Amino acid sequence: MNLEYENSFEIQGGNFQEAGDISVFIKKKLQNLGVAREILRRVAIAVYESEINIISYASKGIIHISISPESVVIDAEDEGPGIENIELAMRAGYSTATDKIREMGFGAGMGIPNIMNCSDKFTITSELNKGTHLTIIINISNNDAEKNR
Amino acid sequence: MNVSSIVEKLNLKIACGREKLSQNVTGGYVGDLLSDVMANSREGYLWITRQTHQNIVAVASLKELAGIILVQGKEPESDTLEKAAAEGIPILITELPAFDIAGKLYDIVS
Ligand SMILES: Nc1ncnc2c1ncn2[C@@H]1O[C@H](COP(=O)(O)OP(=O)(O)OP(=O)(O)O)[C@@H](O)[C@H]1O
Ligand SMILES: [Mg+2]
């Protein structure tokens, strides 16, 4: 299969009106390209949680996605407050979500753990008062079958 | 069993997605935390929740859920309805609280 696709999407912080739109668009696009269901599921979760975090915490950001026959690479880069303690942010249940964000059903502290569960390779870098950068790689070939989330 | 038969059996009100009730229901999940539902729901599930704002639609669409059941007579917000109609996600309403409707759904689906 001749699988190639690349695109970037801009995200405005605080824009809960359109939250999830980019994830839904990307998932449909990949579905049309014939990406396998299990890969689709993992990409959808990873992009969704990245998108929601940028909307929830950053002032703006970009999600860049590129697909080759080998892998899906997602870069989520934002300008924002950054993350003070990355180890803590990666821990399930840790959240600094405000009441306003929690009222909408966010703030379980599961977003980053969900992303990690869906990635074959995950890196996160962050600088206080500058921003955060996630790189998520999901393998298409040699996709290890044990990963079921 | 498809969504349509469940709507009938559980006496659910259809807020939108009337033309999308043929999907086979494979199970259910109860939750008000969106990233919990993202992690733990599966394709074909009915999602029981008290969340009514439009962010529930993307979750249901991304996870290919069979539909959303709002509990205790909660009505979806207008932009939720708009999005759900556009995405073809059925939103159903029950007067019952989550525990009761989950119990009834479990009896039917499992
Ligand atoms: N892009 C970001 N910029 C700044 N802080 C972030 C960013 N992403 C995550 N964080 C911090 O890391 C914490 C954990 O993020 P995570 O996505 O795991 O959970 P959450 O967003 O709090 O809740 P959930 O994702 O379950 O709705 C957040 O509460 C926030 O403090
Ligand atoms: Mg999050």
Side-chain angles (χ1 to χ4, degrees):
Chain A
M1 191 168 32
N2 192 8
L3 193 55
E4 301 282 346
Y5 175 71
E6 186 170 356
N7 210 341
S8 291
F9 302 85
E10 286 182 23
I11 299 169
Q12 213 49 52
N15 184 6
F16 287 98
Q17 245 30 52
E18 287 168 27
D21 286 6
I22 290 169
S23 316
V24 170
F25 178 89
I26 288 175
K27 188 190 166 208
K28 284 184 182 153
K29 182 75 200 175
L30 269 55
Q31 205 159 14
N32 290 338
L33 290 171
V35 173
R37 296 191 67 80
E38 177 54 18
I39 304 289
L40 268 184
R41 195 185 61 80
R42 290 163 61 190
V43 172
I45 293 172
V47 175
Y48 177 80
E49 297 293 1
S50 305
E51 181 183 359
I52 297 296
N53 279 355
I54 293 173
I55 293 170
S56 300
Y57 307 111
S59 39
K60 62 174 181 172
I62 287 183
I63 288 183
H64 179 259
I65 181 159
S66 73
I67 302 168
S68 69
E70 289 77 40
S71 63
V72 181
V73 181
I74 301 154
D75 276 288
E77 198 167 5
D78 69 56
E79 292 172 24
I83 300 177
E84 196 170 342
N85 186 334
I86 289 179
E87 217 173 295
L88 212 51
M90 284 167 36
R91 197 178 292 170
Y94 175 82
S95 179
T96 63
T98 60
D99 286 349
K100 180 187 160 253
I101 294 173
R102 285 175 199 269
E103 263 168 38
M104 290 184 282
F106 305 113
M110 288 179 66
I112 295 176
N114 280 356
I115 295 171
M116 292 164 70
N117 282 333
C118 290
S119 319
D120 289 304
K121 187 158 181 281
F122 171 75
T123 54
I124 175 168
T125 55
S126 189
E127 199 175 328
L128 274 185
N129 301 317
K130 285 200 98 163
T132 300
H133 185 169
L134 313 186
T135 304
I136 299 154
I137 300 177
I138 297 171
N139 294 335
I140 292 181
S141 48
N142 314 318
N143 171 35
D144 72 273
E146 284 90 355
K147 286 244 174 203
N148 54 7
R149 17 184 82 169
Chain B
M1 186 176 302
N2 67 15
V3 183
S4 177
S5 333
I6 288 170
V7 164
E8 212 167 289
K9 283 201 158 73
L10 299 184
N11 194 22
L12 304 174
K13 184 174 129 192
I14 302 169
C16 69
R18 193 173 287 279
E19 67 297 338
K20 292 283 179 178
L21 303 181
S22 59
Q23 189 173 352
N24 187 42
V25 177
T26 57
Y29 196 75
V30 187
D32 300 328
L33 294 167
L34 304 190
S35 49
D36 171 37
V37 179
M38 279 305 289
N40 296 310
S41 65
R42 293 286 174 265
E43 183 190 345
Y45 278 17
L46 280 172
W47 172 22
I48 298 168
T49 186
R50 58 184 298 281
Q51 298 287 0
T52 58
H53 59 78
Q54 49 105 12
N55 292 300
I56 59 178
V57 178
V59 172
S61 168
L62 289 168
K63 297 306 301 272
E64 299 177 34
L65 305 182
I68 302 169
I69 301 180
L70 302 180
V71 298
Q72 289 175 316
K74 285 180 188 300
E75 295 282 342
E77 288 157 27
S78 60
D79 46 3
T80 308
L81 273 180
E82 242 169 71
K83 262 202 176 166
E87 282 296 318
I89 305 288
I91 297 186
L92 314 164
I93 303 171
T94 177
E95 293 301 321
L96 298 175
F99 178 80
D100 300 49
I101 195 71
K104 286 174 189 281
L105 182 63
Y106 185 88
D107 277 346
I108 298 179
V109 173
S110 64

